[in-house]
Amino acid sequence: MSFNNQITSEEESIRQKEIMERLKGRIADISKGLGRPLTYCSICFGCQMNAKDSEKLEGILETIGYVRTESEDCDFLIMNTCTVRENANLRVYGRLGQLKKYKKKNPHMMIALCGCMMQESLVVEKIKQSYRHVDIIFGTHNVFKLAELIETKLDTQSMVIDIWEGTSEIVEDLPSERKYDFKCGVNIMFGCNNFCTYCIVPYVRGRERSRRPEDIIKEIKELVADGVVEVMLLGQNVNSYGKNLDPQISFAELLKQVEQIEGLKRIRFMTSHPKDLSDDLIEVMANSKKICRHLHLPFQSGSSKVLKDMNRHYTKEQYLELVDKIKTAMPDISLTTDIIVGFPTETEEDFKETLDVVRKVRYDSAFTFIYSKRTGTPAASMEFASTDEEIRERFDMLLNEVQGIAKETCARFEGTIQKVLVEGVNEQDASLVTGRLSNNLLVHFPGTPDMIGKFVNVKLAKAMGFYYMGEAM
Ligand code: SAH
Ligand code: SF4
Ligand code: F3S
């Protein structure tokens, strides 16, 4: 199978839409028989990529006639899984066990599992053996097939399993149910080719595939016409976007095209791998009126030795130089990161290098993880240089350091007036609304629901640690 050339499968898209049309009738019949609408509940674990896939799954379910509910006591439950760390896995099994009772009560109920965990054959075996109440299992490569899988389930009444090893196919133009009216994630690429030695993602998400720029631009224009003002361009390593497209295009060039879209106000992207972050990208960002002043730049470890063992392709010094370059070009940028503590070859000395990077860069926030062994990855067979207790201690120390610095860093805009996009009414206090700054921090301020989706100038009156309290100007 070839992974690198892109086929945009229009035929597949048409076929799926026909199936959805047929299913609509069948779902309506079942609904009539029961005398009530059929409901679906969508649960999603993991990263933005999974969240985006869930929006697509929800789009299909809504199209065929299911109505959304937050209750797991529903007619169709879909759980989109993550397997990046062991605890992500365990949560799914826990949840699955609890679902049995609903299925007993409601024999029409269907349970579907999809996402990264399902790409692991041992997981599928375990579900087949021990969780017989699951109806449909599929993976990360065939999300667009949900309607077809439901149809097969209705026809055969037995467990439907459809896992693809990989794909070169990108099926465009299917429905998607957006979580917010005013902002939306947009896939620009799928998969990952980096094979960091600790990481399972390349195995469960397949090889890197970029969408054609014209397809991306078309999607964003449609979103903007539908009220979206902010997009988040999504990929495991957006900086290598376009490398395998013909003609080639860089991420910086794509950003320039996206910037031209009239009506679009803000552009974000996730995630940047330091090894591929180009000077062009920094320049495009610095000159842009729309690209937000936020960069998520995972460094994983501060030790060049550990970075080598992780197969990250940069050293501590190169990372720090890159950060300097970025900060010089954009002094107001917010940097965030991911850090792993307890990678097998990490010693106390290596960990000190990690602390050193944290102190030098002064992140606005950092996601810290204890290394989790993923079977099948190269790191899984490496011997540990430290004990669990040592690793735990390092983790606590790092968290403390990261939080202390983040509190100070986040406060640096106190007293300034910033443009924020209002995202919703505050959950604790309905007299407040919550807005997001360009640099991704949140500010709560007195406001009304009609502000949602609009830009407001807000004075950041008081820094509260990781957010601000403010007032509209
Ligand atoms: N593609 C992104 C990261 C995706 S996974 C990137 O390269 O930046 C999100 C984060 O999970 C990673 O940055 C890493 O910090 C963490 N992670 C991945 N595998 C892990 C593992 N086996 N144990 C602990 N953390 C892990
Ligand atoms: Fe995993 Fe590395 Fe790919 Fe990120 S770049 S998804 S950490 S293999
Ligand atoms: Fe998890 Fe898959 Fe994302 S493993 S982090 S949901 S790509």
Side-chain angles (χ1 to χ4, degrees):
M1 191 183 295
S2 157
F3 291 103
N4 289 332
N5 57 339
Q6 175 185 341
I7 309 159
T8 301
S9 175
E10 278 168 38
E11 271 168 45
E12 186 59 41
S13 162
I14 292 167
R15 207 171 75 83
Q16 292 301 326
K17 282 179 187 157
E18 285 166 2
I19 297 173
M20 283 183 229
E21 210 42 52
R22 283 204 298 273
L23 262 184
K24 217 186 245 180
R26 284 177 84 168
I27 299 293
D29 286 345
I30 301 173
S31 169
K32 216 183 272 165
L34 291 170
R36 60 173 178 82
L38 294 186
T39 56
Y40 79 92
C41 174
S42 169
I43 301 171
C44 182
F45 298 105
C47 65
Q48 309 257 9
M49 248 60 65
N50 254 21
K52 180 71 199 181
D53 284 347
S54 280
E55 289 190 357
K56 294 177 187 171
L57 295 164
E58 290 155 18
I60 295 172
L61 289 168
E62 301 254 343
T63 304
I64 62 178
Y66 282 97
V67 179
R68 188 183 186 113
T69 170
E70 298 309 316
S71 164
E72 290 174 16
D73 187 1
C74 63
D75 299 296
F76 194 97
L77 185 130
I78 180 134
M79 190 154 29
N80 193 2
T81 62
C82 170
T83 186
V84 78
R85 286 169 291 274
E86 182 67 24
N87 53 4
N89 253 269
L90 296 175
R91 276 161 73 192
V92 170
Y93 292 122
R95 210 64 175 257
L96 261 186
Q98 291 164 14
L99 290 177
K100 251 189 194 151
K101 59 175 185 286
Y102 298 125
K103 185 123 185 189
K104 227 177 223 162
K105 205 175 87 184
N106 174 11
H108 290 278
M109 183 183 190
M110 281 190 251
I111 299 176
L113 290 176
C114 64
C116 296
M117 224 175 125
M118 301 306 129
Q119 293 294 136
E120 296 176 280
S121 49
L122 285 178
V123 169
V124 175
E125 275 315 305
K126 180 165 170 169
I127 292 168
K128 268 167 45 186
Q129 302 274 322
S130 314
Y131 299 88
R132 295 294 309 166
H133 58 300
V134 172
D135 299 280
I136 299 172
I137 303 178
F138 57 106
T140 56
H141 301 295
N142 50 354
V143 163
F144 64 88
K145 267 185 81 177
L146 175 62
E148 187 176 348
L149 301 175
I150 296 176
E151 189 173 56
T152 311
K153 170 71 203 184
L154 288 173
D155 288 342
T156 64
Q157 287 304 325
S158 54
M159 197 191 256
V160 177
I161 302 178
D162 190 10
I163 313 284
W164 296 5
E165 287 268 321
T167 185
S168 57
E169 204 164 10
I170 297 178
V171 181
E172 298 281 351
D173 199 27
L174 283 175
S176 182
E177 183 62 23
R178 296 210 315 268
K179 201 164 163 215
Y180 297 94
D181 292 334
F182 52 90
K183 67 170 186 176
C184 188
V186 174
N187 296 113
I188 62 166
M189 59 203 299
F190 302 93
C192 181
N193 283 356
N194 291 304
F195 289 95
C196 302
T197 56
Y198 50 81
C199 184
I200 192 92
V201 171
Y203 304 87
V204 295
R205 285 267 166 185
R207 293 295 63 71
E208 205 171 277
R209 302 171 306 284
S210 295
R211 281 178 76 195
R212 291 189 304 222
E214 55 269 33
D215 289 330
I216 297 170
I217 300 294
K218 177 171 168 269
E219 180 179 343
I220 300 177
K221 281 187 175 160
E222 285 167 3
L223 289 169
V224 169
D226 202 27
V228 165
V229 289
E230 176 179 309
V231 290
M232 164 85 88
L233 308 179
L234 298 172
Q236 293 295 353
N237 175 12
V238 291
N239 298 327
S240 69
Y241 170 77
K243 282 190 180 151
N244 46 28
L245 282 179
D246 186 19
Q248 264 199 13
I249 166 170
S250 70
F251 181 53
E253 284 157 15
L254 176 73
L255 278 175
K256 278 197 223 162
Q257 291 189 22
V258 176
E259 173 109 18
Q260 299 303 319
I261 297 175
E262 221 167 291
L264 181 68
K265 306 277 195 242
R266 273 183 174 180
I267 305 166
R268 299 182 185 277
F269 52 86
M270 276 269 253
T271 297
S272 284
H273 194 306
K275 81 176 163 73
D276 296 314
L277 200 146
S278 68
D279 290 351
D280 283 352
L281 175 63
I282 299 176
E283 196 187 320
V284 169
M285 275 186 91
N287 293 328
S288 167
K289 299 255 175 316
K290 297 185 179 175
I291 302 173
C292 288
R293 286 290 179 261
H294 171 222
L295 197 56
H296 186 64
L297 196 61
F299 79 97
Q300 313 298 1
S301 167
S303 153
S304 296
K305 181 202 87 192
V306 171
L307 285 168
K308 190 159 196 302
D309 296 342
M310 287 176 160
N311 193 32
R312 290 289 289 180
H313 294 282
Y314 54 87
T315 61
K316 176 189 180 190
E317 290 70 30
Q318 284 166 334
Y319 183 86
L320 289 175
E321 264 169 43
L322 180 63
V323 166
D324 270 350
K325 232 192 290 183
I326 295 166
K327 283 186 174 173
T328 308
M330 294 166 279
D332 57 345
I333 192 127
S334 283
L335 292 171
T336 58
T337 200
D338 293 346
I339 310 169
I340 297 177
V341 178
F343 183 82
T345 60
E346 183 187 271
T347 62
E348 192 62 29
E349 285 307 305
D350 295 317
F351 174 68
K352 284 190 184 135
E353 304 275 0
T354 296
L355 277 182
D356 188 45
V357 171
V358 166
R359 288 176 186 143
K360 287 198 165 111
V361 180
R362 302 187 63 79
Y363 296 98
D364 274 54
S365 80
F367 295 103
T368 51
F369 307 107
I370 289 188
Y371 167 78
S372 170
K373 177 174 154 178
R374 307 318 288 135
T375 307
T377 62
S381 51
M382 294 180 190
E383 289 208 12
F384 276 90
S386 311
T387 64
D388 285 354
E389 205 188 330
E390 286 165 337
I391 292 171
R392 190 78 236 172
E393 274 171 21
R394 283 178 208 160
F395 181 80
D396 292 343
M397 194 188 289
L398 177 70
L399 195 63
N400 202 22
E401 192 72 25
V402 157
Q403 288 183 344
I405 292 173
K407 225 171 149 177
E408 290 171 21
T409 311
C410 292
R412 73 193 186 280
F413 299 107
E414 193 175 58
T416 63
I417 295 170
Q418 305 260 352
K419 192 177 262 184
V420 309
L421 176 57
V422 181
E423 297 202 335
V425 174
N426 185 292
E427 278 171 18
Q428 268 93 48
D429 180 348
S431 72
L432 301 176
V433 291
T434 301
R436 194 175 292 272
L437 278 66
S438 168
N439 74 7
N440 213 33
L441 286 181
L442 296 178
V443 53
H444 307 291
F445 61 98
T448 45
D450 58 292
M451 290 176 167
I452 295 171
K454 304 215 169 77
F455 286 94
V456 180
N457 285 324
V458 176
K459 180 164 185 188
L460 306 180
K462 193 163 172 36
M464 305 294 290
F466 307 106
Y467 63 93
Y468 288 98
M469 296 307 294
E471 53 201 74
M473 300 308 288

